[in-house]
């Protein structure tokens, strides 16, 4: 298996632009998680899906952030408009089952820089 | 609410020395506990996990961790550190079915290895 795939790996954009991050979970996994990692705040859970349905989006910082999972093999995280404080590494992770005992498999991350 | 605390933000050890990274959790029932490692520029990789049974858990790369219920701790250990172990380490707690696999991560501990 190719593991969790994220694209792009690096994104540099200007303030005010729309940014779309993409994630392909491991085939057969039914839960998907979006995290943000910064030096100041560490690893933060933004939103997670189970069977393509958003379960908890309480970690989404504000309305500029939105996430979708149109099918079991694809998810997007969109920021519109982007701001410099959104600069971070964004990780996608997936897992199978609904137990908290299941390992989450992480993608390599997307490093976002907003100028 | 569940929480995870890693008291040490940064630790430096000499190559060949022993290592212990601390993790304390807050959870009402028996938790699922994890240690992940993040090498620079990479996603998180699972080192080991504890569900039940033997409280001493063996993981990859020569790591082990011990679950101590009385101390609400799950400390990570390695008898002899290698330069390649320099990375950031995250402790995480998950809980039972119905929670869709969500994990709560600690703030992370950065390990530096001196030659």
């Amino acid at each position: 298996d190719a593991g969790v795939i994220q694209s792009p790996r690096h994104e540099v954009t200007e303030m005010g632009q729309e940014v779309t991050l993409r994630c392909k979970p491991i085939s057969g996994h039914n839960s998907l998680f979006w995290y943000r990692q910064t030096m100041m705040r560490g690893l933060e859970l933004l939103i997670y899906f189970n069977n393509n349905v958003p379960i908890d989006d309480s970690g989404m910082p504000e309305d500029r952030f939105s996430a979708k999972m149109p099918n079991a093999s694809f998810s997007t995280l969109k920021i519109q408009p982007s701001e410099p404080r959104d600069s971070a590494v964004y990780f996608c992770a997936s897992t199978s089952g609904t137990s908290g005992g299941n390992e989450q498999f992480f993608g390599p991350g997307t490093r976002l820089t907003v100028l | 609410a569940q929480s995870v605390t890693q008291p040490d933000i940064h630790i430096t050890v000499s190559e060949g020395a022993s290592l212990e990274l601390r993790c304390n959790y807050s959870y009402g029932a028996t938790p699922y506990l994890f240690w992940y490692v993040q090498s620079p520029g990479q996603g998180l990789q699972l080192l080991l996990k504890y569900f039940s049974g033997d409280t001493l858990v063996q993981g990859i790369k020569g790591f082990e961790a011990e679950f101590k219920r009385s101390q609400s701790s799950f400390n990570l250990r390695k008898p002899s550190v290698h330069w390649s172990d320099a990375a950031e380490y995250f402790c995480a707690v998950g809980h039972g079915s119905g929670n869709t696999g969500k994990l709560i991560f600690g703030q992370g501990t950065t390990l530096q290895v001196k030659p």
Side-chain angles (χ1 to χ4, degrees):
Chain A
D1 200 317
V4 176
I5 299 173
Q6 292 187 247
S7 64
R9 292 294 310 275
H10 302 273
E11 177 82 30
V12 180
T13 190
E14 293 188 346
M15 182 174 63
Q17 296 297 306
E18 176 181 302
V19 175
T20 299
L21 311 181
R22 297 172 176 79
C23 175
K24 176 179 170 56
I26 292 173
S27 178
H29 283 189
N30 61 350
S31 292
L32 182 140
F33 305 80
W34 281 102
Y35 293 90
R36 178 173 68 176
Q37 186 178 40
T38 61
M39 291 291 291
M40 291 295 294
R41 301 174 69 89
L43 191 65
E44 303 174 275
L45 176 64
L46 300 178
I47 185 171
Y48 67 97
F49 296 83
N50 181 246
N51 293 325
N52 312 336
V53 176
I55 302 300
D56 184 354
D57 65 355
S58 60
M60 297 286 261
E62 45 195 282
D63 292 345
R64 297 185 296 107
F65 286 69
S66 62
K68 294 182 179 179
M69 192 164 186
N71 56 62
S73 59
F74 184 66
S75 177
T76 60
L77 178 68
K78 184 179 293 186
I79 308 173
Q80 180 184 22
S82 58
E83 297 183 3
R85 59 190 168 131
D86 302 329
S87 296
V89 181
Y90 291 81
F91 289 103
C92 175
S94 69
T95 189
S96 60
T98 58
S99 167
N102 294 312
E103 174 187 356
Q104 289 188 15
F105 292 82
F106 281 75
T110 296
R111 181 173 296 276
L112 173 65
T113 303
V114 183
L115 303 175
Chain B
Q2 301 83 25
S3 66
V4 177
T5 301
Q6 295 178 245
D8 306 305
I9 296 174
H10 191 278
I11 284 183
T12 300
V13 300
S14 298
E15 189 168 17
S18 63
L19 171 70
E20 182 169 25
L21 302 183
R22 296 184 291 165
C23 173
N24 294 99
Y25 67 89
S26 172
Y27 184 65
T30 300
Y32 298 116
L33 293 162
F34 303 79
W35 274 100
Y36 281 82
V37 60
Q38 183 182 27
S39 298
Q42 304 294 316
L44 278 69
Q45 179 187 18
L46 182 69
L47 280 176
L48 48 79
K49 58 186 177 184
Y50 170 78
F51 291 170
S52 64
D54 192 346
T55 56
L56 186 62
V57 180
Q58 302 297 320
I60 62 172
K61 304 184 181 185
F63 285 91
E64 67 178 26
E66 186 171 11
F67 170 60
K68 293 185 177 180
R69 183 187 302 275
S70 61
Q71 298 178 19
S72 297
S73 69
F74 188 56
N75 294 349
L76 182 70
R77 300 195 295 250
K78 187 170 185 177
S80 177
V81 170
H82 188 263
W83 64 266
S84 61
D85 293 324
E88 189 161 16
Y89 292 80
F90 292 91
C91 182
V93 61
H95 53 102
S97 181
N99 197 52
T100 65
K102 177 181 176 180
L103 298 180
I104 306 298
F105 283 88
Q107 305 92 317
T109 298
T110 300
L111 173 64
Q112 182 179 2
V113 180
K114 295 189 300 184

